Amino acid sequence: MSIVRRIRDITVATLNERLEKAEDPVRMIDQFLWSTREDIIQAEKLHQQYTNHSNHLRAQWLQAESQKERREQQAMTALKAGEENMARFALHEKATADERAAQYKDLFEQSRQHTLELEEQLREMRSEYQAVYDKREYYAARMESIRLQQRLNSRFGGYGESGPQPGAMFRRMEDRINDLETEAKSIRDVRRMGHEMEGSGLGSTVKSVIDRELDELKRKLQKEGWSS
């Protein structure tokens, strides 16, 4: 059974599904990263505690092993000296040290196994954190693209649709200038014709007809709002 059971409101399994639906995925990722970072900090503290505990158990185990060997040497020395009772006592102490060494060795191996499991979980959590962080950078870039697009739409979205078009504007100017040029040319032609008529000595009858038509044109222009 795992030592660290990390319970979060947002898990990696559901994170990917919820990101696409989130209004602000960057904020959701930040919450996940904060939660994961807290888990990593707690796991690192626990790992340090397990490491210290494992070192203590190993020291106790090795001390018991050393005491067992020392008692055995004492028993052999006592036998050589003919001290059988002392040898028995030394062997009894050896058995006690042997039992204690076995106990501490078992505790050390358990602690070491838990430490290895915790190290594996830490690697997974750090890898998970980095993967989600990279995804945050991607979604942050997408959100920035959206914000820039919104600014573009709000400021320049109507340009080219309802606003003035340079091409159309210059076409209208060209038409207006052409009209003015045509009007000026017409006036110049009429004046030249008038001078020619005066110099040609037209009869009074022709002049009367021209004056009458000129008066009629003036009345027509006055109806259209023209004033001389």
Side-chain angles (χ1 to χ4, degrees):
M1 184 176 182
S2 176
I3 302 169
V4 179
R5 295 185 58 87
R6 292 172 291 124
I7 302 174
R8 301 192 185 99
D9 293 334
I10 305 173
T11 64
V12 175
T14 59
L15 180 64
N16 291 330
E17 298 176 2
R18 298 178 63 178
L19 280 177
E20 297 295 339
K21 302 176 183 178
E23 184 175 343
D24 189 349
V26 177
R27 180 178 297 179
M28 179 176 293
I29 292 175
D30 285 341
Q31 293 174 353
F32 177 84
L33 289 175
W34 181 87
S35 175
T36 303
R37 182 57 186 159
E38 287 298 309
D39 287 341
I40 291 175
I41 291 173
Q42 295 302 318
E44 288 174 341
K45 291 180 179 179
L46 184 60
H47 179 267
Q48 185 60 49
Q49 292 172 354
Y50 259 102
T51 300
N52 294 339
H53 183 58
S54 296
N55 291 338
H56 173 73
L57 293 175
R58 184 174 182 275
Q60 293 293 324
W61 165 41
L62 295 179
Q63 182 181 3
E65 287 286 347
S66 177
Q67 187 175 12
K68 182 182 68 172
E69 294 175 0
R70 189 166 58 252
R71 293 306 185 194
E72 184 175 351
Q73 290 295 328
Q74 290 175 348
M76 291 179 64
T77 301
L79 281 177
K80 289 179 182 179
E83 299 289 339
E84 188 172 333
N85 287 336
M86 289 297 296
R88 289 179 181 275
F89 176 79
L91 290 174
H92 175 73
E93 290 294 315
K94 176 194 172 185
T96 302
D98 187 35
E99 181 180 4
R100 189 166 63 251
Q103 292 171 342
Y104 277 111
K105 181 182 178 182
D106 184 57
L107 289 175
F108 168 74
E109 290 177 347
Q110 292 180 26
S111 180
R112 182 57 184 164
Q113 181 61 36
H114 291 163
T115 303
L116 293 174
E117 291 176 5
L118 186 52
E119 288 175 356
E120 178 62 25
Q121 289 190 8
L122 270 170
R123 280 192 293 270
E124 291 177 1
M125 293 164 68
R126 288 168 181 153
S127 176
E128 179 183 284
Y129 182 92
Q130 185 61 46
V132 175
Y133 181 82
D134 292 341
K135 181 164 289 189
R136 180 199 186 280
E137 295 301 292
Y138 166 70
Y139 277 99
R142 284 183 62 183
M143 291 297 292
E144 181 64 16
S145 296
I146 292 172
R147 281 191 288 267
L148 291 174
Q149 183 64 47
Q150 289 172 341
R151 289 178 59 190
L152 175 63
N153 292 341
S154 64
R155 184 176 293 272
F156 305 108
Y159 189 80
E161 298 175 0
S162 59
Q165 296 295 309
M169 180 178 66
F170 282 114
R171 282 194 297 273
R172 287 196 297 271
M173 289 178 62
E174 184 73 20
D175 293 342
R176 177 58 178 160
I177 291 173
N178 288 336
D179 291 342
L180 291 174
E181 289 177 343
T182 301
E183 184 179 344
K185 184 176 183 301
S186 298
I187 293 174
R188 186 172 63 251
D189 291 343
V190 170
R191 285 177 178 172
R192 185 176 66 251
M193 289 173 61
H195 291 307
E196 291 175 353
M197 289 170 62
E198 290 177 357
S200 65
L202 291 174
S204 59
T205 302
V206 175
K207 289 183 178 180
S208 176
V209 172
I210 291 175
D211 290 340
R212 195 165 52 246
E213 290 183 359
L214 182 62
D215 290 338
E216 180 150 354
L217 284 175
K218 288 182 179 180
R219 285 194 298 273
K220 187 179 295 185
L221 288 172
Q222 287 175 351
K223 289 180 181 179
E224 294 176 359
W226 175 83
S227 60
S228 60

